[in-house]
Amino acid sequence: MNIILFGPPGAGKGTQAEKMISHYNLPHLSTGNIFRENIKNKTALGKKVTSILDAGKLVPDETVVELVTDEIKKEKYKNGVIFDGFPRTVKQAEELDAFLHKNGKKVDSFITLSVPEKELINRILSRGQGRSDDTPEKIKTRLQVYHDETEPVFAHYKKKNVVKEIDGVGTIEEIFDRIKSVLS
Ligand code: AMP
């Protein structure tokens, strides 16, 4: 099963992904986590993307697609994956679809978490993970980038009839129950 967890920054994608990993026994692929890990380890990729993440902008499609198509070849993803934070542009979605298609697979479910903007900002500011892009100014940029470049990915998968819209307001358990019920 290949699942995309979709939604704006602060919607709870990472939190719900953690719950889904153990419940569905699926691996998680978070492009944001991979970039942060590379930055921490000062790899060539890390050096290339540091200033982009710091600014709250998007890493170029080519770099992201190369990273994901390389990663997903690993044995651990053979039964499926939960994508978190990817795809973030229509171009990335098209590249992902083509890659999966070539391997006889597809995106089975696209779960989108809806949360009002005011709550998103409060959540990000209070999550206290010490991320350099979690400041009010950067959050504004990330939400703008989400509206301009990422939101069209929703329409892309809507056409493919795989979209499941979830109310992302409530307790972690309530939201997870909603996810389980749309996936059952
Ligand atoms: P996230 O942890 O998903 O919020 O991602 C943190 C940052 O990593 C984003 O603000 C982008 O700079 C970068 N990033 C993560 N995933 C992608 C992606 N699919 N495309 C482009 N940039 C990404």
Side-chain angles (χ1 to χ4, degrees), residues 97-112:
D97 295 345
F99 178 84
L100 291 174
H101 185 74
K102 236 178 22 203
N103 292 284
K105 296 176 182 169
K106 63 178 171 57
V107 170
D108 300 294
S109 290
F110 180 95
I111 296 175
T112 173

Side-chain angles (χ1 to χ4, degrees), residues 144-164:
Q144 193 60 48
V145 167
Y146 175 79
H147 290 307
D148 295 345
E149 303 186 55
T150 305
E151 234 163 28
V153 175
F154 173 88
H156 173 85
Y157 285 107
K158 189 94 186 163
K159 280 186 264 172
K160 295 180 184 287
N161 289 320
V162 289
V163 169
K164 302 189 167 83

Side-chain angles (χ1 to χ4, degrees), residues 3 26 41 61 90 101 121 143-144 148 164 177 179:
I3 302 171
L26 279 174
N41 295 328
D61 289 336
V90 171
H101 185 74
I121 298 170
L143 286 170
Q144 193 60 48
D148 295 345
K164 302 189 167 83
D177 281 343
I179 293 179

Side-chain angles (χ1 to χ4, degrees), residues 66-171:
E66 192 183 312
L67 172 84
V68 172
T69 50
D70 251 19
E71 174 72 16
I72 200 138
K73 284 178 191 142
K74 292 183 182 164
E75 178 71 14
K76 68 171 178 177
Y77 300 106
K78 70 176 190 313
N79 293 324
V81 57
I82 301 162
F83 290 109
D84 160 9
F86 174 85
R88 251 182 165 96
T89 64
V90 171
K91 175 83 183 150
Q92 290 177 19
E94 287 168 351
E95 299 263 0
L96 172 67
D97 295 345
F99 178 84
L100 291 174
H101 185 74
K102 236 178 22 203
N103 292 284
K105 296 176 182 169
K106 63 178 171 57
V107 170
D108 300 294
S109 290
F110 180 95
I111 296 175
T112 173
L113 297 169
S114 321
V115 177
E117 187 147 321
K118 225 174 150 179
E119 171 139 0
L120 293 173
I121 298 170
N122 287 337
R123 282 189 192 179
I124 300 173
L125 289 176
S126 64
R127 71 184 170 190
Q129 289 178 336
R131 274 175 56 166
S132 63
D133 57 352
D134 277 355
T135 63
E137 201 47 44
K138 309 263 175 75
I139 296 167
K140 228 172 105 188
T141 307
R142 285 158 62 205
L143 286 170
Q144 193 60 48
V145 167
Y146 175 79
H147 290 307
D148 295 345
E149 303 186 55
T150 305
E151 234 163 28
V153 175
F154 173 88
H156 173 85
Y157 285 107
K158 189 94 186 163
K159 280 186 264 172
K160 295 180 184 287
N161 289 320
V162 289
V163 169
K164 302 189 167 83
E165 290 185 72
I166 303 275
D167 174 4
V169 179
T171 66

Side-chain angles (χ1 to χ4, degrees), residues 31-32 35-36 53 57-59 64 85-86 88 92 131:
T31 42
F35 288 135
R36 280 185 290 275
L53 266 82
K57 303 268 174 63
L58 292 185
V59 173
V64 184
F86 174 85
R88 251 182 165 96
Q92 290 177 19
R131 274 175 56 166

